Amino acid sequence: FYMKHIRNFCIIAHIDHGKSTLADRLLEHTHTITSREMQAQVLDDMDLEREKGITIKSHAIQMNYVYDGTTYIFNLIDTPGHVDFSYEVSRALAACEGALLLVDATQGIQAQTISNLYLAIDNDLEIIPVINKVDMDGAMIAEVKDQIMDLIGCPEEDILLASGKTGLGVEEVLQAIIRRIPPPKGDPEAPLQALIFDSVFNSFRGIIAYYRVYNGVIRKGDQVKFVNTGMEYEADEVGTLKLGLNPKEQVGTGNVGYIITGIKNAKEVKVGDTITLAKRPCEKAIKGFEEVKPMVFAGIFPVNTEDFEELRECMGKLQLNDASLVFEPETSQALGFGFRCGFLGMLHMEIIQERLEREFNQSVITTVPNVSYFAYATNGQKLTVNNPSEMPDPSRLARIEEPFIRAQIITLPEYIGSIMTLCLNKRGMLKNQSYLTPTRVELTFEMPLAEIVFDFYDRLKSLTRGYASFDYTPLDYRESDIAKMDILLNGDTVDALSALIHRSRAQDFGRKLCLKLKELLPRQQFQIAIQAAIGAKIIARENISAMRKDVTAKCYGGDISRKRKLLEKQKEGKKRMRQIGNVEVPQEAFLAVLKLE
Ligand code: GDP
Ligand code: MG
């Protein structure tokens, strides 16, 4: 194969605009996958991906497409659409020369359409705009065409129409890839330079790294070096990516492939690193390499304190195949031994918790998440605070800084008012308002990250009945009046319920949290006082009155099986309870903060 017959491309779109489904059709049309192997969204191979209907990891697959008697190699890289995983998207884009930009014909351009388009433009990709789902009744083809022409300034003829459902337009898409996306450049004689854009964990083979070769050739048996980590390995196996692994003697310039080196730990393989040869290294890494930084921190504790060691082992295994998970041991007075974990975002946190439960059979309690703050002590020392308990005493604190983001919201003009209210309420500042078309407006805010990681997106969606899309990028850290708010149950501080919050919001927040806890804590034989405090000052209080009757008293004497069921149900419920002082606290209570109105 010649490099001129290779095309590397990705599919970018707002979430749910049909990337994975169109990918299915491309695979089918090129006979990469037989109809027997075919299942919907075939590239989403993780259980969780299939269930949630979202792409969590990048996937790469090679197709052969014969056109006009010539066989072309197409490397398709499917990317995750969720903001939590945007670093992976940007690395995947860096491995391509072109992108199919899908826009759902019934939805039009949305926030991630634009943010992904900008990423693609930053990477100098050739953009092929495709209006997808044209089979649907609500398809607004003319309107969406106008939006696209406005956005990327292309002529109307450049826009393709397709349906991942019916297969309409798939042949045109494949031909456009050949005609419009340039083949890779690169020097086969130069020292090896390959960009790692993803890695997966296989329990038998260890870590499998996916890369794009920019220069040189990678061969089986080569002694390779990872430029940024400085580690060296032997290439036990290299090859290209079909539905499974397709071992080869070598993978050449311009191509996309995998390498297996026997590495067992995902931490050693960093997305964005460059692979070169130990004997003949390249001069420098391919692209600016960034460590992926966790955005949200929370504690994970075993429900039963005895399970700590087991949990440690499971977290370690999970980290082997998810390098973006970070954790360190943490001790809580309330919950005992557990881990302080860093996540890319709330979706990532949810995924980790679910995987611990499903794949590792662990019963865990997750505590109040927070972002990472900088605390400057009066002696000039700068501390990174990922946990309310690490916040220095106010008497030693000079100032605190919190992370800010730039938020982009695209919506219909009629919702501008309510979105402004929501964002101002979340300490946002409107920076720009521009009409993309007469019926579509883009609002740009600067906001504290802490205000958007929790329930912001859900609120936005319900406020606008789904007619708003949202995306954000980190900006900087800014000084802010942050206080540590504690929760006391019958006078005992429950450290796992402490939260860091902007002082102007503390009182309101404290009240709501006490009310929510009142709802979530089961009544007991004695009264329970729930208090919120900043330092020694109580800012809110609720009481739960004592329970009078035994629940089982409701059952008529004779019905023993009903009584047993009730007791069993209670026991089931207890599994996720923690005894704190004399109060029983269920798991939901630790995440009550996320459910405040
Ligand atoms: P992704 O998030 O961009 O990967 O989107 P998916 O491929 O998972 O598709 C999201 C939803 O839209 C799924 O329910 C698909 O069945 C549906 N869908 C995707 N493409 C089409 C299409 O061309 N026509 C119709 N009617 N539905 C589609
Ligand atoms: Mg998908």
Side-chain angles (χ1 to χ4, degrees):
F1 279 104
Y2 299 108
M3 267 160 65
K4 68 177 188 205
H5 295 143
I6 297 177
R7 297 293 182 278
N8 297 316
F9 68 101
C10 53
I11 308 182
I12 54 177
H14 190 70
I15 195 155
D16 278 347
H17 281 200
K19 289 189 299 287
S20 302
T21 308
L22 187 72
D24 288 351
R25 293 294 86 71
L26 299 179
L27 297 175
E28 223 170 42
H29 208 87
T30 54
H31 311 289
T32 308
I33 289 180
T34 63
S35 39
R36 195 169 44 81
E37 291 168 318
M38 196 64 210
Q39 45 174 340
Q41 284 112 18
V42 67
L43 293 181
D44 292 345
D45 49 13
M46 267 167 74
D47 278 356
L48 266 172
E49 291 184 315
R50 306 202 65 88
E51 248 168 63
K52 290 187 188 280
I54 53 168
T55 306
I56 296 170
K57 293 200 63 81
S58 303
H59 301 269
I61 191 160
Q62 191 173 85
M63 303 172 240
N64 290 328
Y65 177 57
V66 184
Y67 180 68
D68 227 1
T70 307
T71 304
Y72 290 85
I73 291 185
F74 282 5
N75 290 305
L76 160 65
I77 300 173
D78 188 26
T79 57
H82 197 279
V83 279
D84 281 12
F85 305 104
S86 54
Y87 183 73
E88 288 205 24
V89 179
S90 71
R91 292 302 95 171
L93 294 195
C96 300
E97 276 77 33
L100 302 177
L101 177 71
L102 292 198
V103 182
D104 184 327
T106 67
Q107 301 289 314
I109 286 170
Q110 299 291 341
Q112 280 148 33
T113 317
I114 298 185
S115 55
N116 282 320
L117 173 69
Y118 289 163
L119 275 179
I121 291 173
D122 282 347
N123 282 287
D124 290 327
L125 302 195
E126 180 65 34
I127 314 283
I128 301 178
V130 181
I131 302 181
N132 191 30
K133 305 198 190 181
V134 295
D135 62 288
M136 289 180 70
D137 283 341
M140 317 174 288
I141 295 173
E143 196 182 328
V144 177
K145 266 191 182 160
D146 283 341
Q147 290 175 7
I148 294 176
M149 287 188 291
D150 267 3
L151 180 68
I152 55 183
C154 67
E156 187 176 345
E157 311 80 77
D158 280 7
I159 303 173
L160 304 178
L161 302 183
S163 163
K165 186 172 173 194
T166 66
L168 182 139
V170 167
E171 186 63 36
E172 286 75 12
V173 170
L174 290 166
Q175 290 177 20
I177 292 170
I178 295 179
R179 272 203 298 269
R180 285 155 67 176
I181 297 177
K185 298 194 192 79
D187 179 359
E189 308 302 328
L192 173 67
Q193 249 185 335
L195 173 74
I196 300 178
F197 62 85
D198 196 16
S199 70
V200 294
F201 177 78
N202 178 299
S203 40
F204 301 107
R205 320 281 320 257
I207 303 289
I208 304 170
Y210 299 166
Y211 54 79
R212 147 79 194 265
V213 182
Y214 279 79
N215 290 302
V217 178
I218 186 165
R219 293 183 181 81
K220 184 182 158 111
D222 277 347
Q223 186 72 16
V224 296
K225 180 175 172 182
F226 289 10
V227 176
N228 288 290
T229 62
M231 305 279 274
E232 292 187 13
Y233 310 93
E234 186 178 321
D236 293 338
E237 184 177 315
V238 300
T240 56
L241 295 150
K242 294 290 171 106
L243 192 52
L245 303 177
N246 185 30
K248 299 259 179 193
E249 281 308 306
Q250 62 177 59
V251 179
T253 311
N255 215 342
V256 170
Y258 72 91
I259 178 171
I260 298 176
T261 58
I263 299 174
K264 296 284 182 217
N265 186 347
K267 274 193 194 157
E268 289 179 40
V269 182
K270 296 194 188 285
V271 168
D273 204 349
T274 299
I275 307 175
T276 190
L277 293 182
K279 283 222 190 77
R280 194 184 163 216
C282 57
E283 271 174 29
K284 57 182 173 44
I286 292 164
K287 282 249 165 184
F289 166 76
E290 275 174 66
E291 290 265 2
V292 194
K293 276 216 282 310
M295 305 285 265
V296 178
F297 296 82
I300 290 186
F301 292 85
V303 168
N304 298 313
T305 38
E306 317 86 78
D307 296 340
F308 172 73
E309 281 306 328
E310 200 184 320
L311 180 61
R312 182 206 290 280
E313 206 172 290
C314 298
M315 299 273 296
K317 280 190 190 147
L318 195 50
Q319 196 182 42
L320 290 182
N321 64 75
D322 182 351
S324 46
L325 167 69
V326 296
F327 65 90
E328 54 181 42
E330 151 175 32
T331 325
S332 150
Q333 274 174 330
L335 297 175
F337 293 112
F339 300 96
R340 194 71 190 170
C341 307
F343 308 98
L344 300 177
M346 293 299 283
L347 176 67
H348 187 218
M349 171 169 139
E350 211 177 288
I351 289 168
I352 295 293
Q353 186 176 348
E354 278 194 48
R355 293 186 70 184
L356 278 173
E357 299 195 337
R358 289 187 200 192
E359 294 168 33
F360 297 95
N361 212 6
Q362 297 295 299
S363 226
V364 295
I365 288 175
T366 313
T367 65
V368 184
N370 57 259
V371 301
S372 181
Y373 296 89
F374 291 145
Y376 294 85
T378 39
N379 65 7
Q381 197 190 9
K382 177 181 172 185
L383 277 171
T384 303
V385 176
N386 295 332
N387 189 340
S389 69
E390 294 164 351
M391 191 55 87
D393 189 79
S395 63
R396 290 197 298 117
L397 256 182
R399 62 196 168 88
I400 298 174
E401 287 178 353
E402 69 174 323
F404 270 66
I405 53 114
R406 177 181 293 119
Q408 240 113 13
I409 299 170
I410 294 177
T411 189
L412 309 181
E414 66 216 74
Y415 296 116
I416 294 178
S418 29
I419 292 177
M420 293 278 276
T421 312
L422 172 71
C423 292
L424 296 181
N425 227 316
K426 298 263 183 195
R427 299 188 283 134
M429 284 158 287
L430 181 68
K431 285 290 156 178
N432 192 37
Q433 169 174 340
S434 71
Y435 280 82
L436 302 173
T437 69
T439 57
R440 199 156 282 257
V441 62
E442 181 185 35
L443 303 172
T444 308
F445 290 90
E446 290 182 4
M447 296 173 81
L449 174 66
E451 300 284 347
I452 62 122
V453 280
F454 306 136
D455 64 345
F456 179 76
Y457 190 41
D458 290 339
R459 287 232 200 140
L460 183 68
K461 272 195 302 198
S462 66
L463 208 71
T464 57
R465 289 190 260 120
Y467 287 110
S469 56
F470 164 69
D471 197 27
Y472 71 85
T473 41
L475 268 181
D476 50 16
Y477 274 72
R478 296 181 189 175
E479 183 166 354
S480 195
D481 191 9
I482 301 291
K484 179 173 168 231
M485 194 192 75
D486 297 316
I487 293 290
L488 290 77
L489 294 180
N490 278 347
D492 291 332
T493 303
V494 184
D495 57 359
L497 284 171
S498 296
L500 295 169
I501 181 154
H502 194 259
R503 205 175 299 271
S504 66
R505 313 274 302 259
Q507 175 122 36
D508 183 49
F509 179 77
R511 268 200 212 118
K512 286 179 177 157
L513 186 55
C514 288
L515 260 176
K516 193 80 199 172
L517 287 170
K518 180 176 175 177
E519 226 174 85
L520 293 173
L521 297 185
R523 292 169 111 203
Q524 296 181 31
Q525 312 289 354
F526 44 84
Q527 173 178 295
I528 304 169
I530 307 167
Q531 293 168 304
I534 292 182
K537 188 169 163 231
I538 304 292
I539 56 171
R541 177 183 176 124
E542 291 291 334
N543 289 324
I544 301 178
S545 53
M547 176 166 62
R548 284 190 212 111
K549 287 191 197 128
D550 191 325
V551 253
T552 55
K554 275 205 216 88
C555 307
Y556 346 107
D559 192 348
I560 189 76
S561 74
R562 174 148 176 216
K563 188 161 180 170
R564 183 173 305 139
K565 248 190 212 144
L566 202 57
L567 286 172
E568 230 139 65
K569 217 165 155 198
Q570 281 183 338
K571 209 169 97 198
E572 196 55 29
K574 276 236 172 70
K575 274 206 293 201
R576 284 177 172 268
M577 294 268 196
R578 279 308 272 275
Q579 185 82 27
I580 291 169
N582 54 6
V583 183
E584 289 205 316
V585 184
Q587 145 84 32
E588 298 83 70
F590 294 102
L591 287 174
V593 190
L594 302 183
K595 304 197 183 80
L596 299 183
E597 293 307 305

